[in-house]
Amino acid sequence: MKKLLQLFIAGIILSAILLYAIQAMNESQGYSGENTLTIYNWGNYIDMDLIKQFEKETGVNVIYETFDSNEAMLTKIQQGGTTYDIAVPSEYMIDKMREEDLLIPLDHRKLPNLNNIDDRFMDLPFDPGNKYSIPYFWGTVGIAFNPELLPNKTFTSWNDLWDPALKNEILLVDGAREVIGMGLNSLGYSLNDTNKQHLQEASQKLETLTPNIKAIVGDENKLLMQNNEAAIAVLWSGDAADIMWENEAIDYVVPKEGSNLWFDNMVIPKTVKNIEAAHQFINFMLDPEIAAQNTEYVAYSTPNKAALSYMDEEMVNDERFYPPPELTEKLEVYKNLGPKMLSYYNDLFLEFKMHPK
Amino acid sequence: MGNKLTRNLYMIPYSLWIVLFVIAPIMLVLYYSFFDIEGNFSLINYQKFFTPVYLKMTLSSFWYAFLITLISLLFAYPTAYLLTKTKHKQLWLLLIIVPSWVNLLLKAYAFIGIFGQYGMANSLLEMIGIGSRQILFTDFSFIFVAVYIFIPFMILPIFNALNELNPSLLDAANDLGASKWTAFRRVIFPLTIDGVKSGCQIVFIPALSLFMLTRLIAGNRVITLGTAIEQHFLVTQDWGMGATIAVFLIIAMFFIMFLTRDRKRGV
């Protein structure tokens, strides 16, 4: 008993010392000081050199944390106890966060660089007047395919996926809106359609695609495509860019019927501690040269019009990632359809997944 | 008197634990299951559970869980038996348990590599002349990986039961003229049935709600109740429906515990 007690006390003393050491270390790095900025972003979604540059220019200490899904980010901000000054949710999540009063309105006077953003990407339905959010990167949903594995096949339309020759070749992304949206688009409907008859039609059409589907996966699609395990994947353009970086044979196309246009956006969540630095950071990232450097690192499409002139020409002229106006017109941003409709989409998707091969 | 007091004192951590981490969560799950997606009190989730989609899902979950348990048992029993006959039992046992210390996700990713088009499994098939085929994202790969993950939990209780078996009982059976098979059927198996039961419980119940493997290894071609719960909590944010499925899983769990309960012998 005595020995146990001694061990217990030793444990407590050791923990206290460690706690003190952490405190001391944080202080020496200025973390507990006033001037810190906590950024909550997707993994590998910023050029870390830029953070160093920002720290140097402003004297603000940056703490950088990452998340891997909008839902995980939402939960952490909802629960409180975090001090995130900047977060980067996707557009459909902004709607939700706004409804739940989790966002702080932006002060546009503190963001002079805002006029660098392309007008096309301002004032979008998920955030009228950009009251709460500034687009960070944007992209599409499309078809990535490997011509080396599929000689003589070209893809221009969603309906090309229904080709019987593509048996067991296609990877779909595990998202209800993306897959049902693809069904709707292939029939010429809007991917925000709420007409149940259209949705039924789309899901029936999707069921006829089952023989061609290899799997419905998440982030693993990148790995599978890179290693030539699968020939075709329906995915986000950002993921396509990553794959093409690793495996040069792969090509990406946005189908002509139209597709989804998505945005990741910088916001200030209500967990903010340093509003001033948060605005400073957003403005910093909107600077054309900074945005250009960041875009060349991340390789997603930037909404920053002024940045394009600082970027590698080959990248800017790549129509797969900066589609021409005829196509951009057909791209749609997801509207918040409300929980009931979303749940209907998900039920259809679940049924589709369970459809026997 | 003092004795009783200390005993009651000792009960405090245990009861606190049970109330906070067992009873309260189950109550919460039950509570949430009565709300529809808009937060109104209703029984719609239960009604929805009895539609073909969810019933089919339940059936297929049970079917896969059953297959996983059965195959685990078929491999685990002889393995456990063999283990009790080896010289360094503890070492062999350790070797079987060690893989279960590795994170599930890592093991799943390893299998994606092994079962892939250019993976080890296909190279082997190629070598023995069968030729490469699709292994990943099939029922086979799903059940194989699930069995691989669960089998240590099946071996362990069976091993313990076999290890405690008094060898003189076998000698007695032998002396009384029982053949090897009869001895197994009438002596060994009945005496180790408790190990088999607890092994089946430990494997069947988690197998019923497997979710990560259904995506990583089965490519969402196998949909279990666990997948649906995950979707409802994370994607649709329809906590009510997710909770309702969880309620049915809890009921299923109690049912299985009841089926495999310890009956007092000699009654």
Side-chain angles (χ1 to χ4, degrees), chain A residues 166-186:
Chain A
L166 301 177
K167 199 163 181 322
N168 208 11
E169 297 279 13
I170 303 172
L171 294 177
L172 292 183
V173 68
D174 190 9
R177 292 291 307 256
E178 284 71 25
V179 174
I180 304 289
M182 170 182 111
L184 287 166
N185 274 151
S186 76

Side-chain angles (χ1 to χ4, degrees), chain A residues 71-142:
Chain A
E71 286 71 21
M73 178 226 48
L74 176 72
T75 314
K76 269 205 143 177
I77 286 174
Q78 266 173 339
Q79 304 301 323
T82 49
T83 55
Y84 300 123
D85 297 300
I86 300 263
V88 189
S90 305
E91 80 288 329
Y92 73 96
M93 192 47 79
I94 288 186
D95 241 335
K96 197 175 228 156
M97 293 176 86
R98 201 181 48 187
E99 273 170 21
E100 295 189 21
D101 213 15
L102 293 173
L103 298 178
I104 305 276
L106 300 172
D107 185 350
H108 286 205
R109 281 168 306 175
K110 289 182 183 155
L111 305 171
N113 284 337
L114 190 56
N115 52 21
N116 292 330
I117 299 274
D118 193 329
D119 281 339
R120 284 190 298 159
F121 302 132
M122 294 289 285
D123 194 22
L124 290 162
F126 59 87
D127 183 20
N130 289 76
K131 199 170 162 208
Y132 298 98
S133 70
I134 305 293
Y136 180 62
F137 280 111
W138 64 276
T140 52
V141 171

Side-chain angles (χ1 to χ4, degrees), chain A residues 71 214 216 220 229 346, chain B residues 117 134 215 219-220 234 236:
Chain A
E71 286 71 21
K214 190 186 185 84
I216 303 169
E220 308 86 67
E229 292 274 347
N346 269 282
Chain B
Q117 212 77 55
Q134 165 97 24
R215 194 187 84 195
N220 271 321
L234 290 180
T236 28

